[in-house]
C-alpha cells in the first residue's frame, strides 16, 4: 500500500560565523541598541562573508536535515529551494543538489520571499500526497545582506543571513494537518527588491534595458499592519481545516520578522507567551530561512518533541502570506 501522508522527519540549519550587533550597526547609521531592540526585538544578525554563498549555507543546513531524517542524499527525489537571493538568477537548487551528491533528485528554486518556506512546505506536500515522490528536501535560505542599503536605517537594522532545511517523507499518517495560502499583489509596492535599468539602443530603432537589482525598500508601518491583521486570520483558517482549536497548539512558529508582530499575533490568537518560538534577537529577519532556522534550533534544544503540534505562518513581500499546521516527527 502506497504511503500518501507526509511527515517532517529531520531538520538542519546553518548561519554565517560573522555577527554584527546593534552597537556596531550604530557606527554605520544613526541608531542605537535601545532603539532597535525595543522596536524590533533584534540584538544582532549574521552576515555572510565573501567566501560564503547561498549554496554553502544551504548545503550545510541540508546535510544536517538529511542526517537527522536518517536517510542518504541519494534517497532524495526532490529538492525545493525557497529563496529570493540566489547565487545565480537561473537558480541555485541544482548547485546544492550537486554539492550534496543527491544524484536522483530533481531540483528547482521557488520564490515567495518571507513566505517561501510555508509555500514550499505545501508544494512539497502535494508531490508526496499524489504519490509522485517519497523523499523531499525543502530549504529556506537567504543572504539579504547582499541587497540591503546599509545607509537606510529603516531597513538595514532588520535583516540577516541564514539557511534552514527540513526533510519531508511519505508516511502512513498525514502529519500536515491543515494549511492556507494567500497573495495580494495590490499591496506589492510596500516591500520590494526591484530590478532597475536604463534603456540602451542596440542598433537604431531597437532598444533594450540593462541594469541590476536595487536595495530593499519597505514601508514598515504598512507591512506591520498587514501582518498583524492577516496572520491571525490565516492561522485560524488553517486550524479550521485541521479541525483543531487554538489551545491544542503546542508551539506558534512565525516568520521571525519583528518581536512586536510575534507578540501581537500571539495575543490576538490567545496563545500564551511560553508557546511562542522566537530567536530573532540573535539572527534578525532571515526571510525564507527564518522558520526552518527557528524550528531546527527548538528541536535541537529539546523544546519541540515528537508529536508536538506546530502552527507556523510566513508573511512578506508579494504580498504573500500562509499558514500550516503540522505535527513534528513521524
Amino acid at each position: 500500500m502506497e504511503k500518501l501522508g507526509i511527515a517532517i522527519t529531520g531538520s538542519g540549519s546553518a548561519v554565517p560565523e560573522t555577527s554584527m550587533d546593534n552597537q556596531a550597526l550604530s557606527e554605520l547609521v544613526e541608531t542605537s541598541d535601545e532603539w532597535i531592540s525595543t522596536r524590533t526585538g533584534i540584538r544582532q544578525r549574521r552576515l555572510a562573508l565573501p567566501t560564503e554563498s547561498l549554496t554553502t549555507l544551504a548545503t550545510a543546513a541540508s546535510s544536517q536535515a538529511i542526517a537527522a531524517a536518517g536517510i542518504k542524499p541519494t534517497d532524495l527525489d526532490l529538492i525545493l529551494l525557497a529563496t529570493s537571493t540566489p547565487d545565480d538568477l537561473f537558480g541555485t537548487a541544482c548547485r546544492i543538489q550537486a554539492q550534496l551528491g543527491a544524484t536522483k533528485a530533481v531540483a528547482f528554486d521557488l520564490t515567495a520571499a518571507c513566505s517561501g518556506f510555508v509555500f514550499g512546505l505545501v508544494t512539497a506536500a502535494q508531490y508526496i500526497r499524489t504519490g509522485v515522490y517519497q523523499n523531499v528536501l525543502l530549504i529556506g535560505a537567504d543572504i539579504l545582506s547582499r541587497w540591503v542599503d546599509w545607509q537606510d536605517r529603516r531597513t538595514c537594522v532588520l535583516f540577516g543571513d541564514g539557511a534552514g532545511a527540513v526533510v519531508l517523507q511519505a508516511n502512513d499518517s498525514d502529519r500536515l494537518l491543515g494549511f492556507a495560502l494567500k497573495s495580494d499583489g495590490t499591496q506589492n509596492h510596500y516591500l520590494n527588491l526591484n530590478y532597475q535599468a536604463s534603456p540602451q539602443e542596440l542598433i537604431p530603432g531597437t532598444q533594450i534595458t540593462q541594469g541590476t537589482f536595487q536595495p530593499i525598500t519597505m514601508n514598515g508601518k504598512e507591512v506591520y499592519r498587514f501582518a498583524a491583521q492577516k496572520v491571525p486570520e490565516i492561522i485560524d483558517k488553517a486550524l479550521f481545516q485541521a479541525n483543531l482549536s487554538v489551545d491544542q497548539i503546542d508551539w506558534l512558529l512565525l516568520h521571525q520578522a519583528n518581536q512586536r508582530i510575534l507578540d501581537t499575533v500571539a495575543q490576538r490568537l490567545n496563545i500564551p507567551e511560553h508557546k511562542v518560538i522566537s530567536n530573532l534577537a540573535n539572527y534578525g529577519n532571515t526571510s525564507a530561512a527564518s522558520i526552518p532556522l527557528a524550528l531546527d534550533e527548538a528541536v535541537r534544544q529539546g523544546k519541540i518533541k515528537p508529536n508536538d503540534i506546530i502552527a507556523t505562518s510566513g508573511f512578506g513581500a508579494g504580498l504573500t502570506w500562509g499558514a500550516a499546521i503540522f505535527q513534528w516527527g513521524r
Side-chain angles (χ1 to χ4, degrees), residues 5-6 40 77-78 99 102 113 120 122 146 194 198 200 211 213 215 252:
I6 70 156
T40 68
D77 302 305
L78 171 66
Q99 294 275 308
V122 173
R146 291 174 172 172
N194 275 324
S198 47
Q200 286 185 9
F213 291 93
L252 178 65

Side-chain angles (χ1 to χ4, degrees), residues 131-169:
V132 178
Y133 297 134
Q134 275 72 56
N135 299 310
V136 181
L137 172 67
L138 168 63
I139 309 158
D142 271 302
I143 298 183
L144 289 169
S145 60
R146 291 174 172 172
W147 298 110
V148 164
D149 175 355
W150 290 97
Q151 300 306 305
D152 178 5
R153 65 175 184 173
R154 293 165 305 178
T155 55
C156 76
V157 302
L158 299 172
F159 299 106
D161 304 336
V166 294
V167 170
L168 294 91
Q169 293 185 272

Side-chain angles (χ1 to χ4, degrees), residues 3-24:
K3 299 176 176 182
L4 295 178
I6 70 156
I8 303 175
T9 57
S11 64
S13 60
V15 290
E17 280 177 39
T18 309
S19 70
M20 178 188 264
D21 63 13
N22 293 345
Q23 190 54 49

Side-chain angles (χ1 to χ4, degrees), residues 44-297:
Q44 57 180 359
R45 69 284 299 141
R46 301 294 183 100
L47 303 177
L49 293 167
T51 52
E52 293 171 307
S53 66
L54 193 82
T55 304
T56 57
L57 287 175
T59 302
S62 299
S63 296
Q64 287 181 13
I66 292 163
I71 62 170
K72 299 185 297 295
T74 47
D75 295 323
L76 292 173
D77 302 305
L78 171 66
I79 297 171
L80 288 178
L81 170 65
T83 189
S84 305
T85 55
D87 290 336
D88 179 340
L89 270 183
F90 287 152
T92 299
C94 290
R95 290 188 182 183
I96 298 161
Q97 182 241 23
Q99 294 275 308
L100 290 169
T103 46
K104 290 200 294 220
V106 59
F108 63 91
D109 291 24
L110 176 153
T111 303
C114 301
S115 306
F117 183 80
V118 173
F119 279 44
L121 188 66
V122 173
T123 303
Q126 307 317 305
Y127 284 102
I128 294 173
R129 285 176 171 175
T130 50
V132 178
Y133 297 134
Q134 275 72 56
N135 299 310
V136 181
L137 172 67
L138 168 63
I139 309 158
D142 271 302
I143 298 183
L144 289 169
S145 60
R146 291 174 172 172
W147 298 110
V148 164
D149 175 355
W150 290 97
Q151 300 306 305
D152 178 5
R153 65 175 184 173
R154 293 165 305 178
T155 55
C156 76
V157 302
L158 299 172
F159 299 106
D161 304 336
V166 294
V167 170
L168 294 91
Q169 293 185 272
N171 199 52
D172 288 327
S173 65
D174 202 338
R175 317 284 273 177
L176 178 60
L177 308 174
F179 68 84
L181 305 176
K182 298 281 273 189
S183 300
D184 180 4
T186 64
Q187 298 188 68
N188 178 268
H189 55 285
Y190 290 140
L191 183 49
N192 301 104
L193 204 176
N194 275 324
Y195 176 76
Q196 207 172 42
S198 47
Q200 286 185 9
E201 192 160 56
L202 278 184
I203 53 170
T206 302
Q207 280 200 333
I208 56 149
T209 58
Q210 290 202 320
T212 183
F213 291 93
Q214 298 303 303
I216 295 164
T217 57
M218 180 168 91
N219 181 326
K221 191 175 281 178
E222 289 300 334
V223 172
Y224 176 87
R225 186 181 294 164
F226 144 75
Q229 182 200 342
K230 298 294 188 187
V231 174
E233 273 177 21
I234 200 119
I235 290 173
D236 269 338
K237 266 202 177 84
L239 280 168
F240 180 78
Q241 206 200 25
N243 199 14
L244 291 171
S245 62
V246 165
D247 51 354
Q248 288 172 285
I249 294 171
D250 294 300
W251 302 102
L252 178 65
L253 174 52
L254 300 179
H255 163 52
Q256 307 284 300
N258 182 317
Q259 189 60 44
R260 282 184 172 178
I261 294 175
L262 270 61
D263 295 342
T264 303
V265 172
Q267 278 161 5
R268 290 198 176 166
L269 288 167
N270 272 331
I271 294 173
E273 204 180 317
H274 69 265
K275 288 186 176 183
V276 180
I277 290 171
S278 173
N279 70 352
L280 63 80
N282 297 326
Y283 304 109
N285 178 343
T286 56
S287 192
S290 85
I291 292 171
L293 185 60
L295 173 73
D296 182 55
E297 206 166 72

